[in-house]
Amino acid sequence: MLIEIEKFYRRLNRVWGKMLSVVFLLMAVNVFFDVIMRYSFHNSSVAMQELEWHLFSIVILFGVSVSLIDEAHVRVDFLYDRFSPRKKALINIVGTVFFLLPLALLILFGSLDFVQDSYKIKEISENPGGLPYRYLIKGMIPLSFSLLIFTAFGYIVQNINILRNARPQNIAPQQHETLEESK
Amino acid sequence: MIGIIMFCSALMLLAIGYPVAFTFGSVSIFFGILAAIVEIAPDVSMAAISKEFLQMFSMMPFRVYSIMNNTILMAIPLFIFMGIILQKSQLAEKLLESMGTLFGRVRGGIAVSTVLVGTMLAASTGVVGASVVAMGVISLPVMLKYGYSKRLATGTICAAGTLGQIIPPSVVLIVLGDIFQLPVGDLFQAALYPGLMLVALYVVYILVVAFIDRNAGPAMPAQDGTVFVNVRKALIAILPPITLIVLVLGSIFMGIATPTESAAVGCIGAMVLAAMYRKLSWQVVEESGLETVKVTAMVFAILIGATAFSMVFLYSGADSIVEEALLNLPGAKWTFLFLANLTVFVLGFFIDFFEICYIVVPVLLPIATAIGLEPLFFAIMIAMNLQTSFLTPPFGFSLFYLKGVCPPEVRTTDIYKGVVPFIILQAIVLMTVALYPKFYGLAQ
Amino acid sequence: VLIASPALAAEKVRWKLAMTWPSTLTPLASPAPKLAKIVSEMTDGNFEIKVDGAEKHKAALEILDMVKGGQFEMGHSASYYWKGKDITTVFFTSVPFGMTSDEQNAWLWYDDGQKLQEKVYSKFNVYSFPGGNTGVQMGGWFRKEIKSLDDLKGLKMRIPGLAGEVFAKLGVNVTNIAPGEMYTSLDRGTIDALEWVGPGMDIKMGFHKIAPYYYTGWHEPASDMQFLINKEAFDKLPKSYQTVLKTAMQAVAADMLSENFDASAKAWEVMKSEHPNIKVMTFPPEVLKAMKKANDEVMEAYAAQNPEFKEVYDSQQKYMKKAREWSKMSTQYYLETTEAIAK
Ligand code: NA
Ligand code: NA
């Protein structure tokens, strides 16, 4: 059961990862396009320029969850490296419950009013010709932190599985994934 | 006081090894509650505490949103992506190998090349993180492949990647210009020579270390063929990636793109280059994109944790303690310079440069003016000092960012030990700036 | 027996105020700390206001939300930053071809201005009061001379707000540039022009070294700053504190206008002597006329869709007619005649 949950999270994470990767590429092309339009065609669209940071925001906000499952967040590892996989898993479980979840919950609930205020007054860009629906991008804050909270449970399950010795060893998830597939 | 305890607690909790970003966040929450109790004492009740605390933390969404629409930060993923594409297409490897080959039997060639490439990237960005990560992706694998010691390799990358702060354009200098009421252009100009001095010292240091310790930075394996043939081969390999860097820099200097946008020019350019060498496939692009997303999110998560940390740090009244202490600094030039620099340096452990600039500098500035210090000179000293604070263990941002892109066998401690010599070099340059400002054109 | 009379039993009040500007950015950052000092001294230290600059709260452009949400009881900002939330807020800063600071103050305090401001801001549950004024802002720094309307076509310029909309209508390529990249972008020609504030603040940015043409203003003739106050917090204050606060706000608002006038006059003297090559220019009449026409179109389009906008716009336009007559008879003719005999 727990193994199934872990696999589900892994699959989901790959979907998010692919989507965000595309969003990032769109952002890069967006910036490049804006440069060319301004320089070669003397034609800037403020909406297009704002789209740049909208895409950027989506990448960074939702990417936090993808990085969590894929173990891409930085640790200070001089002690951590010497711990056994079980001890590492325990640190991750305790850390997620006491460190990650409270922060994510605080930001999630703190941002609800912020988004609602923006929605109520139908906030738009303050720049001439900018993007409308400012509350959509502000709404990404509670959405992404909800995803982070949801992902945190997957991360806990992943580490419980290590504790239960349900996985052979704690190998990097991406490798794990490809190993499984190559079988 | 709470500030100092907070710092020590963060230090201990970080050592456990849970991800840095969330550890920062949780320390902030804990001390936020504590600060809330102190704030409302003596009428302490659960309801009052949670109200005060939630009030403080309800600032977080605003801070997160400020990070989101800080368009200068877009340079971070763009530079990372450019770096990853160059690495995956093996163009970066060829570039550094060839530059290394040009050094012949002289050891440390790849590290020196890394510093030179880092210098060029520094001239096109001013955002902490962007060039450190890009350099980490580009040159760390190559240095490790050729048997460089992890310390020399990581130290070089951190130092070279942080050059962007002092070599214009630089966000730090722009903020300082505002506070010092100095034209940004003057600061850019004034920072150039100390920046280049750093580059020179890095190069000399690498060559000396590699010369003394033959395992620190081995020379490239000997090539068959005549020197002429090898040099020609190297130059041909260097040409395309150098063209790319020139393209990025050129787009800024020719007024085509802003520094941030130039990074996007670099991304597209890197993909075109990779395509020309038939190394580009959708899979490479997508994998590079995914890696970019993860590393960028890692950086962003640290920014969130750090912003929560500094929010609580300031809320607990640490800023007014610092301000009061600074007001009592002695008026003698050398003691003042020493203590002022020490303060900035130590605060660099706790809070980010923006806060240091606006909290500390306005207090120091009138004293400095009273002593008769040239504002331009003092601004450059602060700027150099701040760039060192990005590198200082245990909280230097550059260190975390580099760790985020290191292979697992490189430990945090390798990086910590690796940067120490470079911090000393920076201190030396800082001292020469203080002693011989004329040499750098910072005094009449 | 000594019993303190109720009037003397002073209530302790501690407020926080968030500014849009970093604490060092005078004169914009001057009114709030001065306000805090006056209020504290007038209440014998019983009403304290702690002022946080942008370097502390890190949310420069979220002041309205933070005051509304109660994170801060007060804010110091500029009304037109909330253009995206409510377009009508622009009138309480300054609008292109609008009133001078004398005219605007008279409109605010002795005509409908302040009443309308309170009405517009009531939907945010905050009060907004005038909080200082920059006076006439300069039209910006240009790398090349604007001789005709054609020179505006395709010109790459950083200019936000209504002025940006007006310029966009005239074919200007209005571009967003992060403040941190303005200098490099202007220097390298990524943009051809930008507008900032006036000599007092522009001098620090060093634009005069990279763009020789300094155009006179048209778009922000009297940019008012604002104090925002959380409605609930203000209504809870004792009557005497409310009066102290209101009086202090008016005092520091007037003070900032003088401070900035002084700063600009002095900065300009320095700029002129150190950089005699700066060319102060006015846009040619043809260009100004086109700007005025475009501006009227922009304003009327907004008025057509937004009754509240129309109400404030009409009030300003009506008042300006009266006030301008007097401005001309008094200030303008005085300046013209005294300048004429000086020659
Ligand atoms: Na730089
Ligand atoms: Na302006």
Side-chain angles (χ1 to χ4, degrees):
Chain A
M1 176 61 192
L2 288 178
I3 302 278
E4 290 306 312
I5 293 177
E6 181 176 345
K7 278 189 182 157
F8 163 76
Y9 270 100
R10 283 277 161 72
R11 275 196 297 271
L12 199 64
N13 212 47
R14 294 186 57 167
V15 175
W16 292 137
K18 274 193 181 161
M19 278 165 55
L20 290 182
S21 158
V22 172
V23 174
F24 163 74
L25 290 169
L26 286 176
M27 178 196 119
V29 172
N30 187 175
V31 177
F32 186 71
F33 174 83
D34 289 345
V35 170
I36 299 298
M37 286 307 280
R38 186 185 57 226
Y39 186 74
S40 309
F41 302 99
H42 296 275
N43 185 355
S44 298
S45 151
V46 172
M48 281 300 279
Q49 288 178 57
E50 288 188 346
L51 190 60
E52 293 174 8
W53 72 258
H54 280 56
L55 295 172
F56 170 69
S57 299
I58 292 171
V59 167
I60 57 178
L61 285 168
F62 291 92
V64 176
S65 303
V66 175
S67 289
L68 183 68
I69 293 282
D70 279 359
E71 294 287 8
H73 285 294
V74 179
R75 304 163 187 273
V76 173
D77 57 2
F78 55 87
L79 292 178
Y80 187 78
D81 269 356
R82 301 199 181 109
F83 295 149
S84 65
R86 287 181 56 87
K87 209 164 180 182
K88 283 181 186 169
L90 209 63
I91 287 175
N92 287 333
I93 292 167
V94 173
T96 305
V97 172
F98 290 101
F99 291 6
L100 191 156
L101 284 176
L103 183 69
L105 284 165
L106 274 171
I107 296 177
L108 166 61
F109 287 106
S111 64
L112 293 178
D113 277 351
F114 174 68
V115 179
Q116 209 177 22
D117 283 351
S118 175
Y119 175 74
K120 266 193 214 141
I121 57 165
K122 303 278 177 286
E123 186 178 9
I124 59 165
S125 162
E126 63 282 357
N127 294 309
L131 288 173
Y133 314 124
R134 199 31 73 87
Y135 50 87
L136 285 183
I137 194 66
K138 288 188 170 176
M140 292 302 142
I141 299 177
L143 260 183
S144 63
F145 280 89
S146 306
L147 177 69
L148 182 60
I149 291 163
F150 175 69
T151 309
F153 287 107
Y155 187 61
I156 291 175
V157 170
Q158 189 173 314
N159 282 287
I160 290 178
N161 284 338
I162 298 173
L163 272 185
R164 290 165 63 233
N165 271 329
R167 295 163 73 203
Q169 66 193 102
N170 187 16
I171 44 176
Q174 283 296 308
Q175 289 167 357
H176 184 75
E177 208 73 57
T178 38
L179 279 179
E180 264 182 358
E181 275 168 13
S182 60
K183 269 176 206 164
Chain B
M1 198 55 208
I2 286 189
I4 293 166
I5 308 173
M6 202 173 147
F7 172 72
C8 298
S9 318
L11 208 64
M12 286 190 300
L13 284 173
L14 280 176
I16 299 174
Y18 194 70
V20 171
F22 310 118
T23 310
F24 269 136
S26 69
V27 172
S28 326
I29 292 174
F30 180 74
F31 282 92
I33 295 173
L34 214 67
I37 295 174
V38 172
E39 180 75 19
I40 57 169
D43 313 310
V44 182
S45 72
M46 264 328 267
I49 294 169
S50 62
K51 184 172 167 249
E52 182 75 21
F53 167 76
L54 288 176
Q55 171 100 344
M56 176 191 354
F57 260 79
S58 63
M59 281 296 296
M60 278 307 286
F62 298 109
R63 285 174 167 249
V64 171
Y65 187 62
S66 295
I67 298 174
M68 285 160 61
N69 62 27
N70 182 352
T71 51
I72 288 181
L73 295 179
M74 287 192 306
I76 296 176
L78 293 171
F79 263 100
I80 296 171
F81 183 77
M82 179 174 80
I84 295 176
I85 288 280
L86 287 179
Q87 184 234 339
K88 282 204 194 289
S89 58
Q90 283 153 347
L91 287 167
E93 198 173 329
K94 278 209 197 102
L95 166 73
L96 290 168
E97 279 172 357
S98 310
M99 285 176 83
T101 313
L102 291 179
F103 284 80
R105 299 308 301 155
V106 177
R107 291 193 287 267
I110 304 180
V112 172
S113 312
T114 298
V115 172
L116 298 181
V117 174
T119 309
M120 288 193 272
L121 286 184
S124 59
T125 184
V127 188
V128 202
S131 43
V132 170
V133 175
M135 294 302 298
V137 171
I138 290 174
S139 67
L140 189 61
V142 186
M143 284 199 268
L144 294 179
K145 178 179 159 193
Y146 285 96
Y148 274 62
S149 80
K150 287 174 200 159
R151 287 187 201 173
L152 183 62
T154 54
T156 303
I157 291 167
C158 278
T162 314
L163 281 171
Q165 291 318 301
I166 197 83
I167 292 177
S170 142
V171 178
V172 172
L173 290 175
I174 287 167
V175 170
L176 282 174
D178 178 24
I179 303 172
F180 274 84
Q181 318 241 328
L182 287 168
V184 177
D186 293 5
L187 273 172
F188 278 7
Q189 215 174 350
L192 193 60
Y193 296 111
L196 292 178
M197 182 56 129
L198 277 178
V199 174
L201 271 192
Y202 291 169
V203 169
V204 171
Y205 167 78
I206 291 166
L207 290 175
V208 169
V209 166
F211 179 75
I212 295 169
D213 177 359
R214 56 174 55 247
N215 295 323
M220 299 291 293
Q223 305 272 320
D224 296 335
T226 63
V227 175
F228 175 73
V229 171
N230 285 331
V231 168
R232 208 185 60 176
K233 236 166 72 186
L235 287 178
I236 290 172
I238 289 173
L239 207 61
I242 289 288
T243 314
L244 179 65
I245 294 176
V246 169
L247 190 73
V248 171
L249 278 180
S251 68
I252 302 174
F253 283 95
M254 288 170 60
I256 298 173
T258 65
T260 300
E261 291 169 343
S262 76
V265 176
C267 284
I268 306 295
M271 286 201 280
V272 171
L273 261 188
M276 276 163 53
Y277 283 79
R278 313 213 165 279
K279 304 273 189 193
L280 196 75
S281 64
W282 173 245
Q283 198 195 347
V284 168
V285 173
E286 201 193 82
E287 277 175 14
S288 308
L290 180 62
E291 217 168 310
T292 305
V293 168
K294 285 197 262 181
V295 176
T296 311
M298 174 274 288
V299 171
F300 170 68
I302 292 181
L303 289 179
I304 291 182
T307 200
F309 191 84
S310 63
M311 179 178 79
V312 174
F313 185 79
L314 296 178
Y315 186 88
S316 72
D319 53 327
S320 36
I321 297 176
V322 172
E323 273 171 30
E324 263 166 45
L326 289 177
L327 280 174
N328 296 319
L329 279 190
K333 185 180 165 191
W334 291 109
T335 3
F336 170 77
L337 271 182
F338 177 74
L339 290 174
N341 274 297
L342 191 70
T343 314
V344 173
F345 184 74
V346 172
L347 277 176
F349 291 140
F350 297 80
I351 50 181
D352 76 19
F353 80 89
F354 189 73
E355 286 149 326
I356 298 182
C357 286
Y358 278 110
I359 291 164
V360 178
V361 177
V363 190
L364 293 177
L365 197 54
I367 311 178
T369 317
I371 300 174
L373 291 174
E374 191 80 31
L376 196 61
F377 158 78
F378 192 51
I380 295 299
M381 283 207 82
I382 302 270
M384 304 245 338
N385 201 328
L386 281 171
Q387 90 131 17
T388 310
S389 78
F390 292 123
L391 278 181
T392 343
F395 282 175
F397 282 66
S398 298
L399 311 173
F400 291 138
Y401 296 156
L402 178 61
K403 180 69 180 68
V405 292
C406 278
E409 70 265 21
V410 178
R411 305 279 163 85
T412 313
T413 33
D414 293 323
I415 303 178
Y416 283 179
K417 286 175 190 157
V419 290
V420 170
F422 290 93
I423 293 173
I424 296 172
L425 291 178
Q426 298 195 346
I428 292 172
V429 175
L430 190 68
M431 250 159 11
T432 62
V433 170
L435 291 168
Y436 309 106
K438 270 194 199 128
F439 177 75
Y440 295 97
L442 291 172
Q444 278 80 43
Chain C
V1 188
L2 287 169
I3 301 170
S5 68
L8 290 174
E11 194 177 323
K12 290 263 181 200
V13 178
R14 284 165 75 193
W15 273 16
K16 284 183 291 180
L17 183 153
M19 300 192 291
T20 285
W21 352 95
S23 315
T24 50
L25 197 66
T26 54
L28 299 181
S30 299
K34 284 181 184 166
L35 176 92
K37 189 163 179 283
I38 295 173
V39 168
S40 167
E41 286 177 3
M42 285 178 81
T43 58
D44 292 322
N46 287 315
F47 185 3
E48 297 278 0
I49 301 171
K50 185 172 169 283
V51 177
D52 279 2
E55 72 276 12
K56 288 199 187 159
H57 54 72
K58 294 277 190 74
L61 296 179
E62 313 297 317
I63 307 286
L64 175 56
D65 286 33
M66 295 194 297
V67 173
K68 177 175 185 285
Q71 279 87 5
F72 289 84
E73 287 84 3
M74 277 187 91
H76 188 253
S77 190
S79 189
Y80 63 2
Y81 290 133
W82 326 124
K83 179 174 173 272
K85 298 182 196 291
D86 184 346
I87 181 71
T88 312
T89 54
V90 293
F91 290 108
F92 307 107
T93 303
S94 192
V95 289
F97 301 105
M99 296 190 270
T100 66
S101 52
D102 282 344
E103 295 163 352
Q104 187 150 297
N105 278 331
W107 175 68
L108 282 163
W109 293 119
Y110 289 93
D111 198 70
D112 293 335
Q114 180 56 20
K115 265 176 251 155
L116 288 168
Q117 170 152 229
E118 284 181 30
K119 185 179 162 205
V120 168
Y121 276 90
S122 64
K123 63 172 92 53
F124 298 109
N125 260 332
V126 299
Y127 293 114
S128 173
F129 293 96
N133 197 306
T134 63
V136 183
Q137 295 203 4
M138 290 296 282
W141 297 91
F142 288 68
R143 286 162 59 94
K144 54 178 192 184
E145 197 182 334
I146 303 300
K147 291 186 187 131
S148 68
L149 273 173
D150 280 345
D151 290 334
L152 285 182
K153 301 246 167 11
L155 186 92
K156 291 170 280 184
M157 181 168 189
R158 179 231 176 248
I159 180 163
L162 286 173
E165 283 182 61
V166 171
F167 262 154
K169 279 194 130 190
L170 299 179
V172 171
N173 192 357
V174 177
T175 304
N176 270 350
I177 301 276
E181 294 192 326
M182 286 192 312
Y183 181 86
T184 316
S185 305
L186 185 63
D187 189 20
R188 303 299 181 205
T190 317
I191 48 174
D192 306 310
L194 57 75
E195 79 86 33
W196 196 232
V197 182
M201 295 185 66
D202 293 4
I203 195 168
K204 306 173 211 170
M205 303 296 286
F207 299 138
H208 53 285
K209 298 196 171 167
I210 48 179
Y213 301 103
Y214 199 16
Y215 274 86
T216 54
W218 59 278
H219 65 303
E220 290 191 41
S223 296
D224 248 310
M225 306 296 110
Q226 72 178 160
F227 280 113
L228 289 165
I229 310 181
N230 182 288
K231 190 167 183 298
E232 200 187 328
F234 185 81
D235 292 345
K236 259 197 324 218
L237 283 180
K239 185 91 196 354
S240 59
Y241 287 11
Q242 290 182 350
T243 308
V244 166
L245 194 59
K246 278 186 173 176
T247 314
M249 285 191 295
Q250 254 191 305
V252 297
D255 182 75
M256 183 192 144
L257 182 62
S258 312
E259 186 185 349
N260 192 51
F261 193 96
D262 174 65
S264 284
K266 285 176 180 158
W268 175 240
E269 192 183 22
V270 172
M271 260 194 207
K272 207 171 48 177
S273 67
E274 287 179 3
H275 306 279
N277 295 332
I278 300 177
K279 296 185 188 69
V280 178
M281 312 288 285
T282 14
F283 292 107
E286 173 209 7
V287 173
L288 278 167
K289 267 184 205 152
M291 291 201 263
K292 175 79 170 76
K293 185 165 166 276
N295 182 59
D296 290 347
E297 284 164 18
V298 168
M299 299 303 267
E300 266 142 36
Y302 278 121
Q305 344 156 329
N306 184 332
E308 198 175 52
F309 186 96
K310 185 174 175 0
E311 186 187 359
V312 184
Y313 182 54
D314 288 347
S315 163
Q316 261 200 357
Q317 292 297 313
K318 204 174 120 213
Y319 191 77
M320 203 162 81
K321 271 208 185 92
K322 277 182 264 187
R324 190 53 55 87
E325 279 299 307
W326 172 237
S327 292
K328 280 196 282 191
M329 278 169 68
S330 53
T331 316
Q332 189 183 357
Y333 291 135
Y334 171 74
L335 288 175
E336 279 174 7
T337 49
T338 47
E339 283 296 294
I341 54 165
K343 273 172 196 163

